[in-house]
Amino acid sequence: MSTGFFGNLAPIPYEGSESRNPLAYRFYNPDELVMGKRMEEHLRVAVCYWHTFCWQGNDPFGGATFERPWFGDGMSMAKMKADVAFEMFSLLGVPYFSFHDLDIRPEGETFAESAYRLHAMADYFQQKMEETGVGLLWGTANLFSQRRFMAGASTNPDPNVFAYAAATVKHCMDVTHQLKGANYVLWGGREGYETLLNTDLRRELDQYGRFLNLVVEHKHKLGFTGTILIEPKPQEPSKHQYDFDVATVYGFLKRYGLENEVKVNIEVGHAVLAGHTFEHEVALANALDIFGSIDANRNDYQSGWDTDQFPNNVPEMALAYYYILQGGGFKNGGTNFDSKLRRQSLDPEDLLIGHIGGMDTCARALKSAAKMLEDKALSQVLEKRYAGWNETEAQAMLKGERSLEEIAAYVTEQNLHPQARSGKQELLENIVNRYV
């Protein structure tokens, strides 16, 4: 049943690349086969609850610009928000959504009251999910907004805050399990420091490691079959965050024995803030066997902070999907639109238009990536570049069958005098441009 927020709009249709209808897909066709699989199953698109339904349009220099009928306290407002959310999911035809606990329920005066409200809203969500067929890509706990978390959650110097955060995650995991979520995400927005002068790094890292082990232990106790994900970000809101990038997270997981239990959710904007490309983070996560899921968005590269704009850069997303497909595609993960409108985009239809454009961008990128893989457009050049490592002596060195002395003797005996070879970067860049 329509809430009236979007008027009397019909579900967003696919009209093809020639369409000029802003409320139609030009490239996102859920049933189109790409490498033998439906596009919807490849992309696994999710709408995030926080930016889409909770953000009021404020920034550091100005207050709220959005006026939504569900803004306010109380469970009735939370249920109205859910009604509009699921109407929007259905209009877009997306298979998934994602949320924080604080997004879907009002804060109670006590922890028990907040937990009760969370579970009550989970029951309401379950009914909505059954009615619409929309699934949960992942749930998570907001452990960064409330004042108590200003010095961190699991890394807080106060053990009572650690306990409060652990209890919050416990209930959020229970709800995610109830709603058959595909993943559970932890984002350490305050898990870091502002100054080393009041920070014990070893202690805080050990606290974080113990916290994550508690999460994994509870996952197995619940029988939750989804994936536990960490979302890397180098800074903002903390000056320095412990989950700086994919490589840092992997080192953390190895230190605390969690590399086989936890994977990463990689965001475009966070990768850029860390000084990397998005495709670098995806490719590295695949190389380290910890790739899980992605947040699709983009930053304003002039601003220098995390602006969470809708993705519209096809080449950027195409290279990311290239490495995702090369690694076997998403398993439990998907494409979560951690994206928000600009403060001046006030109309209800803007919420739909932003997601339509983002989904079309990802659809074009996916098709370009798949075609590059099928044509071996990049892999043939790569195979040729590393071909020498297939030879017997090279394999012997890699397998530990040669000592340093033996390698030195081989170089002398064969009178090796290797010459530099072109890396063909411009050729490869030109090849990519043919596909995007």
Side-chain angles (χ1 to χ4, degrees), residues 351-363:
L351 284 169
L352 298 170
I353 290 170
H355 285 86
I356 291 167
M359 291 165 71
D360 272 345
T361 295
C362 290

Side-chain angles (χ1 to χ4, degrees), residues 367-381:
K367 293 172 68 173
S368 297
K371 185 63 174 169
M372 283 190 283
L373 274 173
E374 289 173 331
D375 291 351
K376 298 184 177 180
L378 302 179
S379 61
Q380 285 182 337
V381 180

Side-chain angles (χ1 to χ4, degrees), residues 118-155:
L118 176 66
H119 287 277
M121 286 307 301
D123 292 340
Y124 196 71
F125 271 36
Q126 190 166 10
Q127 177 185 340
K128 290 285 183 183
M129 292 166 73
E130 291 169 359
E131 292 172 355
T132 61
V134 177
L136 176 62
L137 186 65
W138 46 262
T140 186
N142 183 316
L143 302 178
F144 49 88
S145 292
Q146 218 279 344
R147 184 171 181 262
R148 68 176 62 90
F149 298 125
M150 68 179 186
S154 68
T155 59

Side-chain angles (χ1 to χ4, degrees), residues 62-78:
T65 59
F66 300 149
E67 296 176 348
R68 309 298 193 205
W70 58 83
F71 285 169
D73 295 327
M75 291 294 282
S76 62
M77 293 292 100

